Amino acid sequence: MLKEKRLERKLGKIQSGDYRPADFIIADAKDGDMALGCGVAGPELDKNGAPTGRMRPLQVYRDAMKNMVRDDQVDIMLTSLSSGEALASQGVFHNSAVTPAIRLNDGSDIWHWRGASYIAHPTVPFRSARLDRVKPLADLGLYALTFFNDLDQDRRSLDAYSQFRDEASAAGIRHFLEVFNPQFKVATGDQDFATYNNDAIARCLAGVSSHDRPVFLKVVYNGPKATEELASFDPGNLIVGILGGASSTTRDTLEMVQQAERYGARVALFGRKIFFAESAPDIVRTMRLVVEEEISSEDATKFYHDELKKKGIKSKKTLEEDLEITDPTLKMA
C-alpha cells in the first residue's frame, strides 16, 4: 500500500480549524538551480575547509534532495523540473510520505547568478517549465510574483499570474503562491511596505475562485504584526507560509520558525537555511522541536550543537556565535 502524503492530512487539519503544532508543514526548497546556475551547490572546499575556486556539481544538490526525502522529516520537496525528473527516474518519491513540488515560474527577480544585476530592476514575468511536463511528476508547484507599487509593472505580473492560473487549472496542477519583497526600496507613502504587501496579496486573490486559489502562501517574514494580520485575515482559505532567505545563524533559523508559527504561519519553506546547515536532517528535526514542543530557540540551538558533537560533525560557528539573533526583523518580537 502506498503511503499517504502527510501534506494532505495537515492541510485538511489547518483548513478545518483543527490545527495543532504537529500539523505545521515544513518544505525543503531545493529549486535554487533556477536562480543561481552553476553556483547552486556552493563552493568546493579542500580538506582544510578552504575554497578551491571551483563550485560543487549539481549532483551534490540532488543527493541532498534524495537524502532529505529518505530521512522523511519534511512534508514537501520543491525542485526545478529537471531535478524533479531526475529524482522521479530514480524512484525517490515512490512510497514516500513527502510530496514532490516543482517551481512553475522563474521571473527575473530570482536570476541571481554570478555577475547578474537583474535584481536591481522590477521583475520581468517568465516561465521555463511546461505544465504538461510537470503533471506526470507532481500535481503541486510554486508560482512567484512581486509587487512594486508600479501600476504597469504590477498589472503585467498579475496578467501573467492570471494566465498561469487558467493553464494550471486546465492541467490539473495546484500551486502555492510565493510573494517576494522587492530587492530595492519601494515607496509606499505613509504605510510601511509590509502593510502594502499584505493588502496587495489579499486584493490579488479576492477575485479568484476556490478552484484556482493557491493552496497556501510563501512570503517573507516581515515581523509579528504583518504575519499576524495576514494569517488572521481569512484563516483556512489563506494559509500563510514563510520563506527562509539567506543562511545565517542557527538561532536565526529556529527563532524565525518559532515566531512565525506563534503569529499564525502554518508553513515554513526553507532552502539555504537547510542546505547549508552542518546537518540538514538535524536542523529540520530541531525546527520541529521548537514548534511542536515549544523549546526556546536558544535551547534548541544548544541541542543542535550537541547533536553535531555526538555525530562528529564540525560546526561552522562557535556555540556563542550561533546563539546570536542577527536578523533585525526577528528582534521586533
Side-chain angles (χ1 to χ4, degrees), residues 146-149 179-182 184-200 220 222 226:
T146 307
F147 294 104
F148 291 90
N149 204 16
V179 181
F180 289 119
N181 287 3
F184 51 85
K185 186 173 177 58
V186 169
T188 55
D190 60 355
Q191 298 293 328
D192 62 22
F193 178 79
T195 300
Y196 160 82
N197 207 44
N198 280 358
D199 286 350
V220 176
N222 283 323

Side-chain angles (χ1 to χ4, degrees), residues 149-226:
N149 204 16
D150 178 287
L151 181 59
D152 289 338
Q153 169 65 32
D154 292 343
R155 181 188 56 79
R156 283 192 293 270
S157 294
L158 289 170
D159 280 345
Y161 180 40
S162 178
Q163 181 180 350
F164 160 79
R165 291 196 308 270
D166 290 345
E167 294 180 28
S169 291
I173 294 176
R174 303 173 296 165
H175 74 285
F176 50 99
L177 179 63
E178 180 173 51
V179 181
F180 289 119
N181 287 3
Q183 298 290 319
F184 51 85
K185 186 173 177 58
V186 169
T188 55
D190 60 355
Q191 298 293 328
D192 62 22
F193 178 79
T195 300
Y196 160 82
N197 207 44
N198 280 358
D199 286 350
I201 292 168
R203 194 223 63 81
C204 92
L205 296 174
V208 179
S209 164
S210 59
H211 298 283
D212 307 314
R213 288 173 70 87
V215 177
F216 54 81
L217 298 174
K218 178 185 179 184
V219 299
V220 176
Y221 180 64
N222 283 323
K225 180 180 177 183

Side-chain angles (χ1 to χ4, degrees), residues 5 42 80 86 98 104 133 161 170 213 218 286 314 320:
K5 298 298 186 186
S80 65
V98 178
L104 301 175
R133 306 296 191 226
Y161 180 40
R213 288 173 70 87
K218 178 185 179 184
T286 311
K314 184 179 180 181
E320 184 178 41

